[in-house]
């Protein structure tokens, strides 16, 4: 596997969130979330220019690998930190992955069904929405619905999941909330879902592991983000950049606040730092 710059190399290592950062995440006409919007032509050109100049570029996303769509892979990235740090790919090879254990997954499913909490399990092999009996998962088009662990296995036979999300409106006042504090950490996201990762797994931990694998220190590293799950990533780099549409908590920790995602804020920031022309 090809490895990158040393800690003293002038080349930068850059980490980009997807939704709200690289991609303007609009709602479809019926209000469902969509994952197939591509980056704008200006963003595509900017990422390619970074690579041409010898910089190393990584997506650092809450999405699992199965939701990293072809338009994002076409950016010719050095690698991907997916599932909020649970899965790391460098030069097209998955070099590290953290999976929810079979016993813990079974317990999650049992408790969620008992408390009628709606979950979205996410992994590299696919995603599945766990719903109470008689209900269908509709938040993300194309994601199948299951009402039991056995039904989940129909759609994702290996039952390998990195993380899960829950519908916020179904969580309040449930014992399930107390249960997940034992093994997981929670990140509040914009919209209907919140993200839940295994303890110790987050975007910042993923960034640190990538830099270790590259043999690159934290010097000359950049992170670009807009929401709560980006905070660990931004704290793990030397130059944290907040999008203009970012939550205030993100802007507070940023070295630089750029334009909004709609106005190609990533491109503006890269030009500001002299990383592209």
């Amino acid at each position: 596997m090809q490895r990158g710059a040393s800690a003293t190399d002038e080349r930068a290592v850059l980490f980009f969130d997807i939704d709200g950062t690289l991609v303007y995440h609009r709602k479809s006409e019926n209000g469902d979330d969509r994952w197939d919007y591509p980056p704008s032509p200006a963003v595509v050109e900017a990422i390619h220019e970074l690579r041409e100049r010898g910089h190393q570029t990584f997506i650092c996303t809450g999405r699992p690998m199965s939701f990293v769509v072809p338009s994002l892979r076409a950016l010719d990235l050095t690698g991907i930190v997916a599932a909020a740090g649970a899965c790391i790919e460098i030069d097209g090879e998955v070099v590290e992955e953290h999976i929810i254990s079979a016993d813990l997954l079974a317990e999650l499913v049992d408790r969620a069904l008992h408390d009628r909490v709606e979950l979205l399990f996410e992994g590299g092999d696919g995603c599945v929405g766990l719903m109470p009996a008689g209900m269908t998962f509709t938040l993300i088009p194309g994601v199948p619905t299951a009402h039991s662990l056995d039904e989940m296995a129909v759609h994702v036979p290996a039952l390998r999941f990195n993380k899960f999300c829950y519908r916020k409106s179904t969580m309040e006042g449930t014992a399930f909330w107390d249960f997940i504090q034992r093994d997981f950490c929670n990140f509040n996201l914009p919209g209907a879902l919140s993200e839940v990762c295994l303890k110790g797994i987050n975007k910042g931990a993923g960034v640190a592991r990538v830099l270790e694998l590259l043999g690159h220190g934290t010097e000359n590293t950049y992170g670009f983000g807009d929401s709560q799950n980006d905070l660990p990533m931004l704290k793990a780099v030397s130059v944290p950049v907040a999008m203009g549409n970012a939550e205030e908590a993100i802007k507070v920790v940023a070295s630089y606040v750029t334009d909004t995602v709609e106005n190609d804020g990533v491109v503006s920031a890269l030009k500001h730092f002299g990383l592209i022309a």
Side-chain angles (χ1 to χ4, degrees), residues 12 16 33 44-46 60 62 136 158 192 194 197 200 207 210 233 242 252 269:
F16 301 93
D33 283 316
V44 172
E45 182 180 350
C60 189
T136 302
S194 276
C197 304
V207 166
V210 165
M233 172 184 69
V252 167

Tab-separated table of all heavy atoms in Angstrom, residues 12 16 33 44-46 60 62 136 158 192 194 197 200 207 210 233 242 252 269:
chain	number	residue	atom	x	y	z
A	12	ALA	N	-0.119	18.860	2.351
A	12	ALA	CA	-1.153	18.846	3.381
A	12	ALA	C	-1.956	17.557	3.314
A	12	ALA	O	-2.021	16.879	2.285
A	12	ALA	CB	-2.086	20.042	3.190
A	16	PHE	N	-12.545	16.033	4.652
A	16	PHE	CA	-13.776	16.735	4.294
A	16	PHE	C	-15.008	15.930	4.712
A	16	PHE	O	-15.172	14.774	4.306
A	16	PHE	CB	-13.851	16.946	2.784
A	16	PHE	CG	-12.726	17.736	2.200
A	16	PHE	CD1	-11.597	17.097	1.689
A	16	PHE	CD2	-12.779	19.126	2.148
A	16	PHE	CE1	-10.552	17.821	1.134
A	16	PHE	CE2	-11.740	19.859	1.596
A	16	PHE	CZ	-10.615	19.210	1.092
A	33	ASP	N	-34.804	12.251	2.844
A	33	ASP	CA	-33.373	12.470	2.697
A	33	ASP	C	-32.887	11.747	1.448
A	33	ASP	O	-33.369	10.672	1.104
A	33	ASP	CB	-32.607	11.931	3.908
A	33	ASP	CG	-32.707	12.849	5.104
A	33	ASP	OD1	-32.577	14.061	4.910
A	33	ASP	OD2	-32.920	12.348	6.220
A	44	VAL	N	-15.552	19.626	-7.344
A	44	VAL	CA	-14.847	18.535	-8.031
A	44	VAL	C	-13.511	19.024	-8.563
A	44	VAL	O	-12.458	18.383	-8.366
A	44	VAL	CB	-15.712	17.969	-9.168
A	44	VAL	CG1	-14.904	16.977	-10.007
A	44	VAL	CG2	-16.966	17.294	-8.615
A	45	GLU	N	-13.518	20.160	-9.220
A	45	GLU	CA	-12.283	20.712	-9.784
A	45	GLU	C	-11.267	21.025	-8.688
A	45	GLU	O	-10.067	20.765	-8.831
A	45	GLU	CB	-12.601	21.985	-10.579
A	45	GLU	CG	-11.390	22.608	-11.250
A	45	GLU	CD	-11.747	23.861	-12.032
A	45	GLU	OE1	-12.958	24.139	-12.201
A	45	GLU	OE2	-10.814	24.569	-12.474
A	46	ALA	N	-11.746	21.570	-7.566
A	46	ALA	CA	-10.848	21.925	-6.462
A	46	ALA	C	-10.180	20.697	-5.852
A	46	ALA	O	-8.974	20.696	-5.565
A	46	ALA	CB	-11.617	22.700	-5.395
A	60	CYS	N	-14.232	12.418	5.287
A	60	CYS	CA	-14.379	12.011	6.686
A	60	CYS	C	-15.853	12.196	7.034
A	60	CYS	O	-16.292	13.305	7.352
A	60	CYS	CB	-13.470	12.845	7.589
A	60	CYS	SG	-13.372	12.255	9.282
A	62	GLY	N	-19.918	10.660	8.347
A	62	GLY	CA	-20.746	9.767	9.128
A	62	GLY	C	-21.361	8.662	8.282
A	62	GLY	O	-21.810	7.642	8.801
A	136	THR	N	-42.964	1.141	8.274
A	136	THR	CA	-41.972	1.066	7.200
A	136	THR	C	-40.983	2.208	7.320
A	136	THR	O	-41.378	3.343	7.617
A	136	THR	CB	-42.662	1.140	5.821
A	136	THR	OG1	-43.606	0.070	5.720
A	136	THR	CG2	-41.648	1.027	4.688
A	158	ALA	N	-24.516	-10.725	6.531
A	158	ALA	CA	-23.432	-10.842	7.507
A	158	ALA	C	-23.715	-10.067	8.789
A	158	ALA	O	-23.005	-10.246	9.784
A	158	ALA	CB	-22.117	-10.364	6.891
A	192	ALA	N	-33.981	14.681	11.302
A	192	ALA	CA	-34.762	13.744	12.099
A	192	ALA	C	-33.922	12.723	12.854
A	192	ALA	O	-34.394	12.135	13.825
A	192	ALA	CB	-35.749	13.010	11.195
A	194	SER	N	-30.328	11.140	14.829
A	194	SER	CA	-29.087	11.345	15.563
A	194	SER	C	-28.216	10.114	15.385
A	194	SER	O	-28.709	9.005	15.188
A	194	SER	CB	-29.349	11.583	17.050
A	194	SER	OG	-29.657	12.937	17.298
A	197	CYS	N	-22.336	5.978	17.864
A	197	CYS	CA	-21.113	5.248	17.540
A	197	CYS	C	-20.631	4.480	18.766
A	197	CYS	O	-20.907	4.877	19.908
A	197	CYS	CB	-20.007	6.210	17.107
A	197	CYS	SG	-20.442	7.285	15.735
A	200	GLY	N	-15.345	5.492	21.887
A	200	GLY	CA	-13.980	5.574	21.391
A	200	GLY	C	-13.881	5.730	19.894
A	200	GLY	O	-12.795	5.995	19.367
A	207	VAL	N	-9.349	10.277	12.082
A	207	VAL	CA	-8.304	11.161	11.555
A	207	VAL	C	-6.950	10.810	12.167
A	207	VAL	O	-5.935	10.689	11.456
A	207	VAL	CB	-8.650	12.634	11.833
A	207	VAL	CG1	-7.439	13.538	11.598
A	207	VAL	CG2	-9.817	13.075	10.956
A	210	VAL	N	-5.587	7.649	10.627
A	210	VAL	CA	-5.096	7.881	9.264
A	210	VAL	C	-3.713	8.525	9.287
A	210	VAL	O	-2.795	8.090	8.585
A	210	VAL	CB	-6.080	8.768	8.474
A	210	VAL	CG1	-5.420	9.310	7.202
A	210	VAL	CG2	-7.329	7.976	8.111
A	233	MET	N	-13.261	15.615	14.629
A	233	MET	CA	-12.381	15.768	13.475
A	233	MET	C	-11.676	17.117	13.504
A	233	MET	O	-10.455	17.210	13.291
A	233	MET	CB	-13.181	15.631	12.173
A	233	MET	CG	-12.390	15.975	10.907
A	233	MET	SD	-13.395	15.927	9.401
A	233	MET	CE	-14.476	17.349	9.630
A	242	ALA	N	-14.753	25.760	9.477
A	242	ALA	CA	-16.204	25.619	9.592
A	242	ALA	C	-16.874	26.187	8.351
A	242	ALA	O	-16.479	27.237	7.830
A	242	ALA	CB	-16.717	26.346	10.830
A	252	VAL	N	-17.225	28.052	16.610
A	252	VAL	CA	-16.456	28.480	17.780
A	252	VAL	C	-15.069	27.851	17.803
A	252	VAL	O	-14.088	28.483	18.204
A	252	VAL	CB	-17.234	28.148	19.074
A	252	VAL	CG1	-16.346	28.280	20.297
A	252	VAL	CG2	-18.441	29.062	19.212
A	269	ALA	N	-12.349	28.364	0.896
A	269	ALA	CA	-11.359	28.138	1.950
A	269	ALA	C	-10.041	27.635	1.378
A	269	ALA	O	-8.958	28.064	1.812
A	269	ALA	CB	-11.911	27.138	2.965
